[in-house]
mmCIF file of all heavy atoms in Angstrom:
data_model
loop_
_atom_site.group_PDB
_atom_site.id
_atom_site.type_symbol
_atom_site.label_atom_id
_atom_site.label_comp_id
_atom_site.label_asym_id
_atom_site.label_seq_id
_atom_site.Cartn_x
_atom_site.Cartn_y
_atom_site.Cartn_z
ATOM 1 N N ASP O 230 -36.262 -21.656 37.043
ATOM 2 C CA ASP O 230 -35.334 -22.731 36.707
ATOM 3 C C ASP O 230 -33.921 -22.162 36.677
ATOM 4 O O ASP O 230 -33.580 -21.393 35.777
ATOM 5 C CB ASP O 230 -35.701 -23.348 35.355
ATOM 6 C CG ASP O 230 -34.798 -24.518 34.977
ATOM 7 O OD1 ASP O 230 -34.110 -25.042 35.879
ATOM 8 O OD2 ASP O 230 -34.791 -24.900 33.787
ATOM 9 N N GLN O 231 -33.125 -22.540 37.694
ATOM 10 C CA GLN O 231 -31.739 -22.082 37.796
ATOM 11 C C GLN O 231 -31.639 -20.554 37.719
ATOM 12 O O GLN O 231 -30.804 -19.995 37.012
ATOM 13 C CB GLN O 231 -30.888 -22.734 36.705
ATOM 14 C CG GLN O 231 -30.814 -24.252 36.835
ATOM 15 C CD GLN O 231 -29.938 -24.884 35.759
ATOM 16 O OE1 GLN O 231 -29.535 -24.230 34.803
ATOM 17 N NE2 GLN O 231 -29.644 -26.162 35.937
ATOM 18 N N GLY O 232 -32.550 -19.911 38.439
ATOM 19 C CA GLY O 232 -32.523 -18.457 38.511
ATOM 20 C C GLY O 232 -33.191 -17.750 37.352
ATOM 21 O O GLY O 232 -33.297 -16.521 37.360
ATOM 22 N N ARG O 233 -33.662 -18.500 36.363
ATOM 23 C CA ARG O 233 -34.343 -17.890 35.212
ATOM 24 C C ARG O 233 -35.844 -18.028 35.396
ATOM 25 O O ARG O 233 -36.343 -19.095 35.765
ATOM 26 C CB ARG O 233 -33.914 -18.559 33.905
ATOM 27 C CG ARG O 233 -32.434 -18.366 33.586
ATOM 28 C CD ARG O 233 -32.046 -19.140 32.344
ATOM 29 N NE ARG O 233 -32.769 -18.683 31.158
ATOM 30 C CZ ARG O 233 -32.397 -17.654 30.411
ATOM 31 N NH1 ARG O 233 -31.304 -16.974 30.715
ATOM 32 N NH2 ARG O 233 -33.084 -17.309 29.352
ATOM 33 N N CYS O 234 -36.537 -16.969 35.133
ATOM 34 C CA CYS O 234 -37.986 -16.936 35.345
ATOM 35 C C CYS O 234 -38.726 -16.870 34.010
ATOM 36 O O CYS O 234 -38.318 -16.146 33.088
ATOM 37 C CB CYS O 234 -38.355 -15.721 36.208
ATOM 38 S SG CYS O 234 -40.117 -15.547 36.550
ATOM 39 N N THR O 235 -39.806 -17.640 33.918
ATOM 40 C CA THR O 235 -40.704 -17.563 32.769
ATOM 41 C C THR O 235 -42.140 -17.576 33.277
ATOM 42 O O THR O 235 -42.414 -18.013 34.397
ATOM 43 C CB THR O 235 -40.508 -18.734 31.785
ATOM 44 O OG1 THR O 235 -40.753 -19.975 32.467
ATOM 45 C CG2 THR O 235 -39.108 -18.733 31.190
ATOM 46 N N VAL O 236 -43.041 -17.080 32.454
ATOM 47 C CA VAL O 236 -44.466 -17.164 32.773
ATOM 48 C C VAL O 236 -45.154 -17.958 31.676
ATOM 49 O O VAL O 236 -44.761 -17.903 30.505
ATOM 50 C CB VAL O 236 -45.127 -15.766 32.897
ATOM 51 C CG1 VAL O 236 -44.564 -15.010 34.084
ATOM 52 C CG2 VAL O 236 -44.969 -14.959 31.616
ATOM 53 N N VAL O 237 -46.178 -18.703 32.070
ATOM 54 C CA VAL O 237 -46.993 -19.454 31.121
ATOM 55 C C VAL O 237 -48.326 -18.731 30.984
ATOM 56 O O VAL O 237 -48.980 -18.419 31.980
ATOM 57 C CB VAL O 237 -47.210 -20.903 31.589
ATOM 58 C CG1 VAL O 237 -48.088 -21.648 30.593
ATOM 59 C CG2 VAL O 237 -45.869 -21.614 31.755
ATOM 60 N N VAL O 238 -48.682 -18.440 29.748
ATOM 61 C CA VAL O 238 -49.901 -17.693 29.462
ATOM 62 C C VAL O 238 -50.967 -18.651 28.936
ATOM 63 O O VAL O 238 -50.752 -19.339 27.925
ATOM 64 C CB VAL O 238 -49.628 -16.579 28.428
ATOM 65 C CG1 VAL O 238 -50.917 -15.845 28.090
ATOM 66 C CG2 VAL O 238 -48.580 -15.618 28.948
ATOM 67 N N ASP O 239 -52.087 -18.719 29.654
ATOM 68 C CA ASP O 239 -53.214 -19.581 29.278
ATOM 69 C C ASP O 239 -52.795 -21.018 29.035
ATOM 70 O O ASP O 239 -53.415 -21.732 28.225
ATOM 71 C CB ASP O 239 -53.940 -19.025 28.051
ATOM 72 C CG ASP O 239 -54.725 -17.759 28.372
ATOM 73 O OD1 ASP O 239 -54.988 -17.521 29.573
ATOM 74 O OD2 ASP O 239 -55.059 -17.012 27.443
ATOM 75 N N GLY O 240 -51.723 -21.448 29.680
ATOM 76 C CA GLY O 240 -51.311 -22.838 29.632
ATOM 77 C C GLY O 240 -50.591 -23.282 28.383
ATOM 78 O O GLY O 240 -50.169 -24.439 28.296
ATOM 79 N N ASP O 241 -50.409 -22.371 27.390
ATOM 80 C CA ASP O 241 -49.802 -22.846 26.145
ATOM 81 C C ASP O 241 -48.695 -21.965 25.571
ATOM 82 O O ASP O 241 -48.067 -22.324 24.577
ATOM 83 C CB ASP O 241 -50.889 -23.052 25.077
ATOM 84 C CG ASP O 241 -51.619 -21.762 24.719
ATOM 85 O OD1 ASP O 241 -51.317 -20.717 25.317
ATOM 86 O OD2 ASP O 241 -52.507 -21.815 23.850
ATOM 87 N N VAL O 242 -48.430 -20.813 26.174
ATOM 88 C CA VAL O 242 -47.362 -19.929 25.691
ATOM 89 C C VAL O 242 -46.438 -19.609 26.866
ATOM 90 O O VAL O 242 -46.904 -19.159 27.919
ATOM 91 C CB VAL O 242 -47.919 -18.622 25.092
ATOM 92 C CG1 VAL O 242 -46.777 -17.696 24.699
ATOM 93 C CG2 VAL O 242 -48.790 -18.927 23.879
#
Side-chain angles (χ1 to χ4, degrees):
D230 182 16
Q231 297 181 350
R233 296 175 62 84
C234 180
T235 60
V236 294
V237 179
V238 177
D239 289 342
D241 62 358
V242 176

